[in-house]
Amino acid sequence: MTLQTEQSFQTSSETSSVGQLNRQMIVILDFGSQYSELIARRIRETQVYSEVLSYRTTAEQLRQLNPKGIILSGGPSSVYDEGAPRCEPAIWELGIPILGVCYGMQLMVQHLGGGVERAERGEYGKASLYIDDPTDLFTNVDNGTVMWMSHGDSVTSLPDGFELLAHTENTPCAAIAHHDRKLYGVQFHPEVVHSLGGQALIRNFVYHICECQPTWTTAAFVEETVREIRAKVGDKRVLLALSGGVDSSTLAFLLYRAIEEQLTCVFIDQGFMRKGEPERLLKLFQEQFHIPVEYVDARDRFLAQIVGVIDPEEKRKRIGHEFIRVFEEESKRLGPFDYLAQGTLYPDVIESADTNVDPQTGERVAVKIKSHHNVGGLPKDLRFKLVEPLRKLFKDEVRRVGRSIGLPEEIVQRHPFPGPGLAIRILGEVTVDRLDILRDADLIVRQEINRRGIYNELWQAFAVLLPIRSVGVMGDQRTYAFPIVLRLITSEDGMTADWAKVPYDLLETISNRIVNEVRGVNRVVYDITSKPPGTIEWE
């Protein structure tokens, strides 16, 4: 997908993205669309950097950013509604190519003197797009290609100088342009996978209209990020809570390459990891990669915090708070530290406001620990400046970076794993016996999907232990034991998911092994619920 290894680009941190990337950046102004983040990802697939900004971003701020292009996202509002979000009108006069998507197109039309009204017939889902002007935006886009529609309003009249580019059976103005001013609008969503010609259209806008160069690449990201870390940290010490996932592992590799012994990695074993994972993690980092890791055995402490706890939110809260306590103790024992490294990713930057700014230095400081549990806040008197080298990357970009700097595939392709671990894959009370049962069952699931070679095709694959018992027969004897739920799902980003249609004989093999090899289990069931309406995890 996005970053490639052979080319070079200028990349960003929280302080330098504007100065470094403005010559090769596409800005997305977000009007509340669920797809704004996806637009950014699609642009990055063309190897051009993109950022999502608020629709409130002023024309002057955009002029200072000096992007190569601007995209106005869709949104849930109607442009004629009172209080509907609007961009500053001066944006149209910047001389920067602009593409309006759905609501963004309607806003462009309304601002520039055209008409937008409630459509007699809305259009939702797939629609065949008939191209009236195959140049510029629609170069190499097939006439009749399928695009994804989702609108109840339509353009009824075009502003002066605009031309019709495409239509559908229900939507006369499906795409428009003012070629001289390089203003374009599409009523459909080219960023979604259902739009078969969508990525070709995006490439046309990025390359042909905005004249961008493919400079967003892995090799230069690593080089530039290492340089920025060294410049920011200087001779100070950095603390990183290592979880073993791809985000924190990639972060550890980057930091160690940049500052070596100034980095201290702490792995807090809370007792809810999968079978063999703590040992494997320590061996990889200390023996194979020669990155020292401080191991903290806190298993008894964490288990004691959730004895008798059934409510899943209470479990998460208690585990999170205990993690903070342990982390605080270890930071004081190993410190002092000036910086806390966090594996913040770009979706977190877009969606989260869990940071403060130091009033004296202007730097972001941590008020929440995110790299391990995503829950709870660090004590306010335990203040670090943040180092967040991954905060401009999506998850798939992190995987590419991790792979390029030498992380093994077992970490790069590691399925997402919740911070509270197996504690929220055991419904009800968590005990040592139940943890042992689930670890053994979970190991069998991972072994079998790896044996079939489909691990990387799945977003997640795991076992869940239910706190109920059912009757079974084993060896002519009656049993009364726990059921295991198999959860194998496919997804692009975890926001939506579908259950995996794996072969029946694979499910049979996993079931037979669990029932025969895991004491205390006599039944295996398969969860075929998609997200929504269900969730990926059970708690």
Side-chain angles (χ1 to χ4, degrees):
M1 128 81 185
T2 320
L3 302 176
Q4 303 298 319
T5 58
E6 71 279 2
Q7 300 175 3
S8 65
F9 72 71
Q10 297 291 329
T11 185
S12 65
S13 69
E14 61 268 33
T15 58
S16 64
S17 62
V18 172
Q20 303 268 358
L21 279 168
N22 56 8
R23 287 170 294 184
Q24 295 297 328
M25 175 169 64
I26 302 292
V27 164
I28 298 103
L29 295 186
D30 180 21
F31 289 87
S33 172
Q34 60 180 319
Y35 299 131
S36 294
E37 187 178 304
L38 183 56
I39 297 174
R41 291 184 60 186
R42 293 293 180 250
I43 295 170
R44 292 189 187 190
E45 287 177 8
T46 70
Q47 299 174 43
V48 173
Y49 182 71
S50 61
E51 280 197 21
V52 178
L53 302 179
S54 168
Y55 71 89
R56 296 185 179 91
T57 304
T58 66
E60 180 57 33
Q61 289 171 324
L62 288 169
R63 184 179 289 109
Q64 293 177 11
L65 284 170
N66 192 27
K68 298 285 285 185
I70 299 170
I71 295 181
L72 311 181
S73 81
S77 302
S78 292
V79 294
Y80 47 75
D81 287 344
E82 184 178 353
R86 292 175 172 83
C87 60
E88 193 174 85
I91 286 174
W92 315 115
E93 309 304 326
L94 289 173
I96 299 172
I98 299 176
L99 171 64
V101 175
C102 198
Y103 179 88
M105 167 180 157
Q106 296 166 8
L107 186 66
M108 179 186 296
V109 168
Q110 186 195 56
H111 270 196
L112 298 178
V116 178
E117 297 178 6
R118 185 72 180 173
E120 291 185 8
R121 294 178 59 186
E123 196 168 25
Y124 302 94
K126 297 177 181 179
S128 295
L129 185 75
Y130 302 106
I131 299 172
D132 302 297
D133 182 350
T135 62
D136 280 357
L137 204 60
F138 289 100
T139 301
N140 297 322
V141 177
D142 294 335
N143 188 35
T145 189
V146 171
M147 293 295 188
W148 185 261
M149 291 286 189
S150 182
H151 67 100
D153 297 330
S154 289
V155 172
T156 56
S157 62
L158 295 179
D160 291 342
F162 276 78
E163 302 174 18
L164 180 67
L165 300 185
H167 66 279
T168 70
E169 289 185 3
N170 290 336
T171 304
C173 293
I176 60 174
H178 191 304
H179 292 292
D180 292 340
R181 298 176 66 181
K182 292 190 174 182
L183 302 178
Y184 299 85
V186 295
Q187 187 59 72
F188 49 86
H189 289 273
E191 69 273 18
V192 303
V193 295
H194 309 293
S195 292
L196 302 184
Q199 190 62 7
L201 184 148
I202 289 173
R203 291 179 66 87
N204 288 335
F205 180 72
V206 170
Y207 286 132
H208 302 321
I209 295 171
C210 299
E211 300 181 350
C212 292
Q213 298 297 316
T215 56
W216 177 247
T217 63
T218 301
F221 172 83
V222 173
E223 179 182 350
E224 180 70 17
T225 300
V226 167
R227 188 159 53 243
E228 288 182 348
I229 292 170
R230 289 170 179 165
K232 179 171 185 175
V233 172
D235 60 355
K236 305 299 184 182
R237 298 182 66 201
V238 178
L239 178 63
L240 167 64
L242 186 66
S243 69
V246 63
D247 300 342
S248 68
S249 298
T250 299
L251 181 56
F253 265 54
L254 278 173
L255 288 166
Y256 194 73
R257 178 175 292 191
I259 58 175
E260 296 185 349
E261 286 77 13
Q262 292 168 241
L263 172 67
T264 298
C265 295
V266 177
F267 173 66
I268 299 174
D269 184 356
Q270 80 307 43
F272 307 134
M273 300 290 285
R274 290 173 288 201
K275 193 165 188 175
E277 280 194 329
E279 297 81 4
R280 178 60 176 161
L281 175 67
L282 293 173
K283 185 174 182 179
L284 277 173
F285 273 80
Q286 295 179 337
E287 297 182 15
Q288 184 172 335
F289 307 136
H290 307 293
I291 297 178
V293 177
E294 292 284 341
Y295 173 75
V296 180
D297 183 354
R299 290 173 291 185
D300 292 341
R301 289 183 57 169
F302 278 88
L303 190 60
Q305 288 297 317
I306 59 172
V307 168
V309 176
I310 295 175
D311 180 74
E313 291 307 310
E314 184 65 20
K315 280 187 200 175
R316 289 178 179 271
K317 181 179 177 181
R318 292 194 182 196
I319 291 171
H321 287 174
E322 187 63 19
F323 178 83
I324 293 164
R325 283 191 286 268
V326 176
F327 186 83
E328 180 182 23
E329 292 170 11
E330 295 303 315
S331 66
K332 290 179 179 178
R333 178 177 69 87
L334 300 168
F337 297 96
D338 293 276
Y339 288 93
L340 172 67
Q342 291 201 134
T344 308
L345 302 188
Y346 194 45
D348 305 318
V349 175
I350 297 173
E351 298 169 5
S352 174
D354 292 335
T355 57
N356 279 345
V357 176
D358 189 302
Q360 295 181 337
T361 67
E363 293 200 62
R364 283 158 41 80
V365 295
V367 295
K368 284 202 176 183
I369 181 69
K370 186 186 180 304
S371 56
H372 190 76
H373 282 289
N374 255 344
V375 288
L378 287 173
K380 291 185 178 180
D381 60 348
L382 185 66
R383 294 174 65 85
F384 302 95
K385 298 171 186 175
L386 289 182
V387 179
E388 299 174 297
L390 308 180
R391 70 187 307 267
K392 293 298 182 182
L393 301 185
F394 291 104
K395 174 71 85 172
D396 48 358
E397 294 174 320
V398 174
R399 295 188 194 280
R400 285 188 176 273
V401 170
R403 185 177 290 112
S404 75
I405 59 178
L407 277 179
E409 285 299 303
E410 66 180 280
I411 293 181
V412 170
Q413 295 295 342
R414 183 179 186 258
H415 289 172
F417 188 66
L422 300 182
I424 60 168
R425 291 180 178 173
I426 297 173
L427 273 63
E429 183 179 6
V430 178
T431 67
V432 173
D433 288 343
R434 292 182 181 185
L435 282 167
D436 289 340
I437 289 172
L438 185 55
R439 281 196 185 94
D440 288 341
D442 182 84
L443 179 61
I444 291 171
V445 174
R446 288 183 288 135
Q447 287 175 337
E448 290 303 324
I449 65 172
N450 273 305
R451 188 170 288 123
R452 289 296 183 99
I454 64 171
Y455 182 91
N456 294 342
E457 298 175 16
L458 303 174
W459 178 263
Q460 281 177 269
F462 57 90
V464 176
L465 178 65
L466 300 185
I468 58 175
R469 297 176 189 267
S470 64
V471 174
V473 178
M474 301 175 70
D476 295 326
Q477 293 185 345
R478 178 183 182 275
T479 61
Y480 194 55
F482 293 111
I484 287 289
V485 178
L486 303 182
R487 186 70 162 141
L488 280 61
I489 62 124
T490 59
S491 178
E492 284 195 359
D493 53 15
M495 299 302 293
T496 61
D498 196 10
W499 61 280
K501 282 72 172 177
V502 297
Y504 290 156
D505 65 320
L506 172 59
L507 297 176
E508 183 180 33
T509 298
I510 293 173
S511 176
N512 286 341
R513 283 197 60 192
I514 290 176
V515 170
N516 283 286
E517 299 175 29
V518 181
R519 180 171 297 180
V521 175
N522 66 354
R523 192 178 299 273
V524 176
V525 299
Y526 191 39
D527 182 352
I528 60 170
T529 311
S530 297
K531 175 188 178 181
T535 56
I536 294 175
E537 299 288 345
W538 275 51
E539 284 196 343

